[in-house]
């Protein structure tokens, strides 16, 4: 049996569309075994996941088996996940990375972690969630000719993420579909400067400079239309001491980066969120600097 623990992720981080992401201390824990035939999925998580061939962990396993030419037997998956699904917290990437890492063990460890990353980025469509899910920390990633080039940077444990999760879903596919195919040069330039600044400020611990670094002109203004009270929540978060607040991935979760007074921030924001006519929950997460963990165990 293979035990895999994969972190949730928060991608884009404002201006880093399809390229920046952090791993969060919130996990999908999977126990995966080869069995004689068929597919068996036990879901011990709160949220619905498909239990047949459409199961994402299973599809990721099959993708690796196809890649390395391994003849598939049956698969048993036991999933315990704390990651909210379809909320912009990388739940799909955690399933893809978990399935691919396990499949690589079953098929004789033919793929390196870089090759798994390439396969996962292609499977997911972009590298900004799968890279931190695999390597942890704050990741910068770009895919060039099918290869994902990345850096994974450990962040100071002082920096934490306040995750504000609404009680409705937003599919990445629909959320991407709302974006324009072309953007003005001035907007592209605006984002390049902010994404570069954000990278440098995070790595150098310049948290007081983060607020202008998470401004974006490529996706957030369009996507926030689907997130009630986005502007109010952002404004309140800064009043309460957030260093940076942005839409996580394609939304609808909103993330604030904070570096002190964590309990106070959670309490104050929670009280504020309760006054809204949409339901949001708040959780403070550490940044995961480790990435996916894999262990082979006896069944
Ligand atoms: N970069 C992706 C997007 C993240 O914004 O659509 C969602 O998986």
């Amino acid at each position: 049996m293979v035990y895999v623990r994969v972190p949730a992720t928060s991608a884009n981080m404002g201006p880093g569309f399809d390229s920046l992401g952090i791993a969060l201390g919130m996990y999908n824990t999977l126990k995966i075994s080869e069995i004689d035939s068929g597919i068996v999925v036990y879901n011990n998580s709160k949220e619905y996941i498909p239990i047949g061939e459409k199961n994402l962990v299973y599809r990721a396993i099959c993708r690796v088996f196809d890649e390395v030419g391994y003849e598939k037997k049956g698969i048993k998956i036991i999933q315990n996940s704390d990651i909210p699904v379809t909320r912009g917290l990388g739940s799909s990437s955690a399933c893809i990375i978990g399935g691919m890492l396990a499949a690589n063990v079953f098929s004789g460890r033919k793929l390196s972690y870089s090759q798994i990353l390439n396969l996962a980025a292609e499977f997911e469509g972009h590298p900004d969630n799968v890279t931190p899910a695999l390597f942890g920390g704050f990741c910068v990633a770009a895919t060039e000719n099918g290869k994902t080039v990345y850096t994974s940077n450990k962040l100071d444990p002082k920096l934490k993420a306040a995750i504000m999760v609404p009680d409705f879903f937003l599919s990445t596919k629909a959320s991407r579909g709302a974006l324009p195919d072309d953007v003005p040069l001035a907007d592209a330039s605006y984002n390049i400067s902010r994404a570069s600044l954000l990278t440098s400020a995070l790595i150098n611990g310049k948290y007081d400079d983060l607020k202008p670094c998470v401004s974006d002109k490529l996706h957030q203004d369009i996507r926030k239309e689907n997130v009630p009270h986005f502007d109010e929540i952002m404004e309140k978060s800064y009043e309460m001491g957030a260093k940076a607040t942005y839409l996580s991935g394609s939304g609808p979760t909103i993330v604030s980066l904070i570096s002190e007074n964590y309990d106070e921030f959670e309490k104050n924001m929670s009280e504020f969120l309760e006054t809204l006519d949409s339901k949001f929950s708040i959780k403070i997460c550490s940044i995961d600097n480790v990435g996916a963990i894999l262990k082979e165990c006896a069944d």
Side-chain angles (χ1 to χ4, degrees):
M1 192 250 291
V2 171
Y3 165 97
V4 211
R5 191 191 77 167
V6 191
T9 51
S10 175
N12 294 333
M13 307 185 76
F17 185 70
D18 282 356
S19 55
L20 303 183
I22 43 172
L24 303 169
M26 180 192 273
Y27 300 95
N28 186 352
T29 303
L30 295 153
K31 290 177 186 167
I32 306 176
S33 327
E34 285 193 293
I35 54 175
D36 289 340
S37 62
I39 159 163
V40 180
V41 178
Y42 294 105
N43 176 22
N44 297 329
S45 317
K46 272 191 273 169
E47 302 199 48
Y48 166 81
I49 53 162
I51 55 166
E53 290 195 348
K54 285 193 174 158
N55 180 275
L56 191 52
V57 177
Y58 180 73
R59 286 171 47 215
I61 291 171
C62 294
R63 180 68 190 86
V64 167
F65 287 170
D66 285 348
E67 183 71 14
V68 301
Y70 181 76
E71 198 176 326
K72 185 169 72 195
K73 297 182 202 153
I75 290 289
K76 181 168 106 183
I77 299 165
I78 304 174
Q79 172 165 314
N80 283 286
S81 182
D82 294 330
I83 309 175
V85 173
T86 336
R87 300 303 213 298
L89 289 169
S91 61
S92 301
S93 291
C95 290
I96 294 167
I97 293 295
M100 288 190 169
L101 287 173
N104 192 41
V105 172
F106 298 143
S107 53
R109 295 184 191 262
K110 295 200 171 69
L111 301 178
S112 66
Y113 270 42
S114 294
Q115 288 170 312
I116 289 173
L117 177 65
N118 294 339
L119 215 54
E122 179 203 281
F123 194 92
E124 167 76 352
H126 24 80
D128 50 345
N129 280 312
V130 288
T131 311
L134 184 56
F135 295 112
F138 163 62
C139 292
V140 184
T143 302
E144 178 93 358
N145 300 324
K147 284 198 173 143
T148 296
V149 185
Y150 71 94
T151 63
S152 160
N153 308 275
K154 292 194 193 317
L155 293 184
D156 174 0
K158 196 176 152 195
L159 194 70
K160 294 186 194 281
I163 315 289
M164 292 168 274
V165 188
D167 66 351
F168 61 88
F169 310 107
L170 211 53
S171 94
T172 296
K173 202 171 165 198
S175 192
R176 282 183 89 85
L179 302 179
D181 289 335
D182 300 306
V183 296
L185 182 64
D187 290 354
S189 160
Y190 183 98
N191 268 55
I192 290 166
S193 59
R194 270 65 183 181
S196 308
L197 267 175
L198 175 60
T199 302
S200 171
L202 279 176
I203 291 172
N204 291 298
K206 296 188 81 180
Y207 307 136
D208 289 337
D209 295 343
L210 286 180
K211 186 175 175 185
C213 299
V214 292
S215 298
D216 161 77
K217 291 212 175 188
L218 298 186
H219 68 105
Q220 203 165 265
D221 285 347
I222 296 170
R223 287 169 159 174
K224 76 178 186 186
E225 296 304 322
N226 294 316
V227 184
H229 307 292
F230 179 87
D231 287 331
E232 285 162 79
I233 294 171
M234 180 181 269
E235 198 181 316
K236 193 66 164 183
S237 73
Y238 284 121
E239 232 175 82
M240 296 300 163
K243 299 298 183 194
T245 299
Y246 61 86
L247 188 70
S248 184
S250 58
T253 293
I254 301 169
V255 165
S256 287
L257 299 177
I258 47 179
S259 59
E260 58 200 350
N261 304 328
Y262 315 105
D263 292 345
E264 197 184 331
F265 184 88
E266 183 177 13
K267 182 176 166 289
N268 290 338
M269 282 310 289
S270 174
E271 280 171 12
F272 171 72
L273 294 170
E274 273 168 27
T275 66
L276 303 176
D277 57 13
S278 306
K279 200 169 179 310
F280 282 81
S281 62
I282 180 165
K283 185 179 164 76
I284 309 288
C285 281
S286 53
I287 309 298
D288 175 296
N289 279 321
V290 175
I293 289 175
L294 180 145
K295 281 186 220 158
E296 275 185 88
C297 316
D299 278 337

